[in-house]
Amino acid sequence: MVNAQTLKFAHIDSNALIQAMPESKAAQASIEKEAKGLEEQMGALQQEYQSKLAELSEKQDSLTEIVYQSKVEDLQSLQQRIQNFNTTAQQRLQQKQGELMQPIFTKANETIEAVAKEQGVIYVFDAGAVLYKSNQSIDLLPLVKAKLGIQ
């Protein structure tokens, strides 16, 4: 039977590790670039909507009922396209974030596991979820960062 004094516990701030990984910074930059492009496209659609709305308001009195209704329907259609674009853009960003970050999470977890085994640790707790940790708990963050070659 294992003696309680030989059990080793450790903790790590996994968020700090992920943020320190160069791959994470590159992924974040790529996601931000994608988001900026989508925001520009959204801005163009919203500008088009505002322009058509202003034009309709300005010419409203001079339009026949049929033409007016047609322009209102065009505006409603454009508004629906804007909503659809926004939903699709959010899904696209979430998908891209998942695609780029999953290998980083996997690498971090595999390295944490390897370091924990090297240190003879039986449990590793995430520092963000631990309410109390003793000074006897091993902080794996510096060891994992060293194994990954991060300063």
Side-chain angles (χ1 to χ4, degrees), residues 29-81:
S30 178
I31 292 165
E32 288 171 8
K33 181 180 177 184
E34 179 88 14
K36 185 176 181 182
L38 292 171
E39 285 172 11
E40 288 173 0
Q41 291 176 14
M42 176 62 99
L45 285 171
Q46 289 173 336
Q47 179 62 39
E48 179 183 352
Y49 178 82
Q50 291 300 324
S51 175
K52 287 184 177 187
L53 181 62
E55 180 184 345
L56 179 62
S57 295
E58 184 180 303
K59 295 182 179 180
Q60 177 177 348
D61 294 335
S62 65
L63 299 174
T64 65
E65 183 65 26
I66 293 174
V67 173
Y68 176 77
Q69 284 302 319
S70 175
K71 292 196 177 286
V72 167
E73 288 172 11
D74 286 347
L75 276 173
Q76 290 170 339
S77 174
L78 181 55
Q79 190 173 30
Q80 184 63 45
R81 280 190 8 232

Side-chain angles (χ1 to χ4, degrees), residues 3-15:
N3 185 345
Q5 294 172 340
T6 62
L7 299 179
K8 290 172 80 176
F9 298 91
H11 62 277
I12 188 165
D13 185 342
S14 60
N15 286 332

Side-chain angles (χ1 to χ4, degrees), residues 109-126:
N109 287 334
E110 288 173 351
T111 308
I112 291 168
E113 185 178 330
V115 170
K117 286 179 181 176
E118 290 169 6
Q119 297 296 312
V121 172
I122 61 167
Y123 284 103
V124 178
F125 299 96
D126 194 313

Side-chain angles (χ1 to χ4, degrees), residues 90-132:
Q90 288 176 359
Q91 290 171 344
R92 188 167 159 188
L93 283 176
Q94 287 174 343
Q95 179 183 1
K96 184 172 183 88
Q97 183 175 22
E99 289 171 359
L100 294 176
M101 295 303 293
Q102 189 56 49
I104 297 166
F105 294 142
T106 300
K107 181 178 180 180
N109 287 334
E110 288 173 351
T111 308
I112 291 168
E113 185 178 330
V115 170
K117 286 179 181 176
E118 290 169 6
Q119 297 296 312
V121 172
I122 61 167
Y123 284 103
V124 178
F125 299 96
D126 194 313
V130 174
L131 299 177
Y132 167 78

